[in-house]
Amino acid sequence: MIVVMKPGAPQQSISAVVERIEQLGLSAHLSSGEQRTIIGVVGTTPLPPTLDETLEVYEDVEQVMRVTKKYKLAGWDFHPQKTRIEVRDFEIGGEEVIVIAGPCSVESEEQTMETARAVKAAGAKILRGGAYKPRTSPYEFRGLGKKGLEILAAAREETGLAIITEVMTPSDVEQVFDYTDIFQIGARNCQNYFLLEEVGRTGKPVMLKRGMSMLIEEWLLAAEYVLAQNNPNVIFCERGIRTFENQTRNTFDIAAVPVVQRLSHLPIFVDPSHAAGKRPFVGPLALAGVAAGADGLMIEVHPNPDRALSDGQQSLTFEEFDDLMPRLAAVAQAVDRTVQTAEALAAV
Amino acid sequence: MIVVMKPGAPQQSISAVVERIEQLGLSAHLSSGEQRTIIGVVGTTPLPPTLDETLEVYEDVEQVMRVTKKYKLAGWDFHPQKTRIEVRDFEIGGEEVIVIAGPCSVESEEQTMETARAVKAAGAKILRGGAYKPRTSPYEFRGLGKKGLEILAAAREETGLAIITEVMTPSDVEQVFDYTDIFQIGARNCQNYFLLEEVGRTGKPVMLKRGMSMLIEEWLLAAEYVLAQNNPNVIFCERGIRTFENQTRNTFDIAAVPVVQRLSHLPIFVDPSHAAGKRPFVGPLALAGVAAGADGLMIEVHPNPDRALSDGQQSLTFEEFDDLMPRLAAVAQAVDRTVQTAEALAAV
Amino acid sequence: MIVVMKPGAPQQSISAVVERIEQLGLSAHLSSGEQRTIIGVVGTTPLPPTLDETLEVYEDVEQVMRVTKKYKLAGWDFHPQKTRIEVRDFEIGGEEVIVIAGPCSVESEEQTMETARAVKAAGAKILRGGAYKPRTSPYEFRGLGKKGLEILAAAREETGLAIITEVMTPSDVEQVFDYTDIFQIGARNCQNYFLLEEVGRTGKPVMLKRGMSMLIEEWLLAAEYVLAQNNPNVIFCERGIRTFENQTRNTFDIAAVPVVQRLSHLPIFVDPSHAAGKRPFVGPLALAGVAAGADGLMIEVHPNPDRALSDGQQSLTFEEFDDLMPRLAAVAQAVDRTVQTAEALAAV
Amino acid sequence: MIVVMKPGAPQQSISAVVERIEQLGLSAHLSSGEQRTIIGVVGTTPLPPTLDETLEVYEDVEQVMRVTKKYKLAGWDFHPQKTRIEVRDFEIGGEEVIVIAGPCSVESEEQTMETARAVKAAGAKILRGGAYKPRTSPYEFRGLGKKGLEILAAAREETGLAIITEVMTPSDVEQVFDYTDIFQIGARNCQNYFLLEEVGRTGKPVMLKRGMSMLIEEWLLAAEYVLAQNNPNVIFCERGIRTFENQTRNTFDIAAVPVVQRLSHLPIFVDPSHAAGKRPFVGPLALAGVAAGADGLMIEVHPNPDRALSDGQQSLTFEEFDDLMPRLAAVAQAVDRTVQTAEALAAV
């Protein structure tokens, strides 16, 4: 960390900063220029995360600049290889772009089974479906709970798809653990730290959706909560951020894909359904995600979107999904990745 | 709810919408103009919250317009009087603008006691202090936990101040309940619905801080989670929203005060400290909050902000707080409200 | 337009609204439901653009809903075919994804010529280069002016590339007209209506960059200013919007591509350079743009970005651009479009 | 400026940066720590505004930190006294909070005269009114032009009020100069640099409204364009920024008042009308602006807002304005400022 003093800062102000640094068990290295003094802060262990704020308020301090990152486990510095996460018989973070598909909510056994078969046939590797649903209003459908988890497990049993489902509160983690392959942490819970630590402790893969107004740096720090529990299996999922534009439900921050990949070794997925919020835009955003280098996609698919209990307006029909998969595969090939398609499955 | 069909929509499309409305147990009233048909949806109970999205995806539907509000308990329609909440020997939501003050975190008994005495003497009615702290990074100070709650209770015992402290997860609600007068739900937990319901069930007052990117409508719906547990004691607290501007920590949405007061009977406070993020701006924002009609203020005060374990850069010193209180009282008087000051206390 | 009155609105309030509508030469159609009256507004010509705001303030009006769009020339309703714009020997808006490349600013004849040859060889169709530069600070390089235009024209002469350059103020339009093939209107001037009308009157193609905080609807209305001058040759260019995220210079709103294509017949380009703001992210965003269906790309290329007088940090080197073009072509092919490459040029 | 090299950066990378700095006529001061080298950049004149971006792209550069500000004339460093601007018989930037009031657009002589008399009687010092109106759509009322300017001048003649009106394009500056006391630059033109320089050259006071997504730093730099023409008479006006919240037309960034006052010696006004966008919120925001320390207010007032050709929904009636002024004066007094009221006028 570097502390820049104001021009002509008196010795007394400089000493106060140095004293504080040393009280914290760190060393201060002074560099006195013609105009101003600059103090370098060095420690043998990571610097306290709020040290910059601590020093910023001192008299005659002009600016404090952090030159090391606040996160450590999520970054490349101590983990120079891209993380690959094994789930059942495949791998997340490798050459294959993994497709997660399924309904927003598990509504019934029939709806879920039917969807599982359809998305499996089209090439998806993971089935999504909410058993516990966070809803902005208390008067909306909140999911089937345990019954929903059982339906998902049955769908896995039959189709061989892995499953991912959301967990919303620490006390549900144990139950969800018994069923799911991957925990999903929703955008509204992205900074629910108790929940992050609880899923971290299970060791199972955790998908962290980005919060609506979350800085990418904060997202990496949220991952740090999971990673710090010795659970290296974190997957990011960009699902759009909140901006002034209202033609889409959220603004799909496609740049998050290369930015996260530059800052972190962890895989990053994209969710074009929640970003778009409207069916006709899901396809173009999904294709863009693959072109930008995403490690996977999460797409809402429903047997009858007009009758869906949630998110119908952004769910693809089976036909639309069938049509999209080979187009995703073509773009994947253009950027030296693969997407599994019905055709490839048939060829096996 | 009003469904506007596209110009020249065929009878078949219109019938499909009508059929769906009736399947949901609602009635459809058609109004056929020269160019287009408009369908009014009427029900005896509140309409399903996602009905607009459900109908929007039908063939030939141009737009769906909700004409009733999604929230009901928070609005004026069924509660035409402003809510007043009794806390110890005073009232929130009345003529007096209530001042909450104290450190970001409870760091020690000495720091807390000293602050409690100082803010009490200056006119504050409620002591704030975090025992459980949400932190963006897992490597930061997370609060003293139960020990912190005990310190707060001791400060109340001595000074007579009420106390408010944050609860972060449902399993802590019982413990925090034993100590606090008011539960604080932080910005990161504003849509943690299990937590909202859990504090709702206790019946104790709940202060809901606004999420960083929360629409005011979503905020009212979050309150609805608490209110629906038969707990009418909800207080809003505007603490700034996240925007592109970086001179302040957050952008203080001062208009939230009159907007919430127009939409809801519940009291609204402002937190100029988190909005400003820097000490010199706390005073002007606090004064603005009172002028705009806020029912209360929450201000961070610390005996030695430079040494604070969190938020030091936005905490006022005792002297700054002493200086601010009479200015708040003067502005309050100018808008026909009151703020208790040291002078007033002395006069008793 | 539909005006929804409040439940139980008295006849007097309804009449006031009807009277106003009729005074404006429009007709009002009443539909009285059990709870509320709805008034449909119909006119033989387009409704006044602010009619909704006009009526919203009337007593007992609950909501006003516009059911026709504010823009007409930019929309599909009266122009059911995609616009194709001829520029020299090629077409914008067709199957080919057109690549614009070149330096941010024209700095010298050598720099511009060298770049023109390099991007031409790699497959670009249009050369970009600023002769007049808008700068946030008055102390920065503001372009070579007329000399810059002459250099661009010379580069066109030699390479056969079309040229695009920014015009910043109405009085420069005539001069820039003498040199450029396409006018560029920058993000800061996107609502400079005199300038829009002035370039509109020339009949030459106009590229409208999106303003930093411009709603897509406002963008279409800005195009309307040009189109209303009988100039049908408008091209949109998404270059990122301003949000809270700071890892990129702007947030690339990739969804603008399918959204604009759904609302308008006009072509839309993307500018990944200004969106990214940093070189390593330009490639992924460019690929995403093509995958999402953009009709063209605008990419900053400089012979020596480290020495560029502006935007060096986001400009590609010749090698990076050479490397990107075949990857763009591969993605284009995957979505049934084409991009011209060096290989294709060589094959001619 | 301070350049921080990556840990272990080779000598070659360091030399490249130093060489570039020296080529630019600046000096480089190296400070080599245990882990990294830090380079201080010093010049005798202001550093090039884009120097940070120039150096950021060099090999092995980790971060570049600017320690001097980009603006100079707007800041306190070379102008340690608050700017006061004389307009007719009063002063902007002094103890009195100056109130500007009037219609959005000059619609007719009668409407303007009537308003001028009413706002004068209530205590306003300046009459506002648009003769040239920027409109999002080309199909809206765009003002009376020269006729509008004549009406404003006539109103000044009769009432003694100063006048302010918007100028939208450089070629109109001369004409508007002949009539107005203060030029208004609208939010859409805040970075129209030719216009800023043109009004700068006139020497008359210029009010700079903040752009919808303008950083405060960019605002100060826009002022710099005017100031650099030897025109010291710049007034800022905060009118709300664009965010995700839609209950108000814009988000009133009240903190801009103390932030600008800390960074600059220039006066800052607030425009609660455009921020609120709805009449009931104008009063609370105006009161908040005075409490936060604004040097003035700009408020839309119309004899018959329901019939206004623009912005009717946010214009106060005469009665509402009459009622607001003494409340503004009361708050002003509470913060040791004054606002002129009808009562004070009567007492003269």
Side-chain angles (χ1 to χ4, degrees), chain D residues 126 171 182 296:
Chain D
I126 306 177
S171 57
I182 306 175

Side-chain angles (χ1 to χ4, degrees), chain C residues 20 135 139 225 242 306, chain D residues 20 135 213 224-225 306:
Chain C
R20 183 69 196 274
R135 303 310 299 260
Y139 312 120
Y225 273 90
R242 183 162 271 178
D306 289 357
Chain D
R20 183 68 196 275
R135 304 308 301 259
S213 61
E224 207 79 7
Y225 273 91
D306 290 356

Side-chain angles (χ1 to χ4, degrees), chain A residues 138 142 169-172, chain B residues 167-178 180 183-185 189 191-206 208 222-231 234:
Chain A
R142 299 210 228 166
T169 199
S171 58
D172 286 347
Chain B
V167 61
M168 287 173 60
T169 199
S171 58
D172 286 348
V173 169
E174 198 178 329
Q175 188 189 61
V176 176
F177 176 87
D178 289 344
T180 201
F183 285 107
Q184 177 179 324
I185 302 293
N189 275 316
Q191 294 186 306
N192 184 337
Y193 301 124
F194 286 87
L195 180 59
L196 293 174
E197 294 189 331
E198 197 69 26
V199 294
R201 275 189 282 273
T202 67
K204 270 205 183 169
V206 176
L208 278 192
E224 207 79 7
Y225 273 90
V226 178
L227 299 169
Q229 303 303 320
N230 286 317
N231 183 341
V234 175

Side-chain angles (χ1 to χ4, degrees), chain C residues 226-284:
Chain C
V226 179
L227 298 168
Q229 302 301 321
N230 286 317
N231 183 342
N233 303 309
V234 175
I235 306 154
F236 292 109
C237 184
E238 161 66 30
R239 42 75 76 205
I241 56 174
R242 183 162 271 178
T243 72
F244 60 85
E245 181 55 61
N246 52 26
Q247 292 280 349
T248 45
R249 181 168 173 183
N250 294 288
T251 295
F252 190 42
D253 183 9
I254 184 82
V257 174
V259 169
V260 165
Q261 287 173 341
R262 199 173 161 83
L263 299 176
S264 174
H265 53 84
L266 296 166
I268 176 165
F269 278 47
V270 297
D271 171 348
S273 305
H274 280 84
K278 293 180 188 160
R279 211 176 298 153
F281 306 140
V282 173

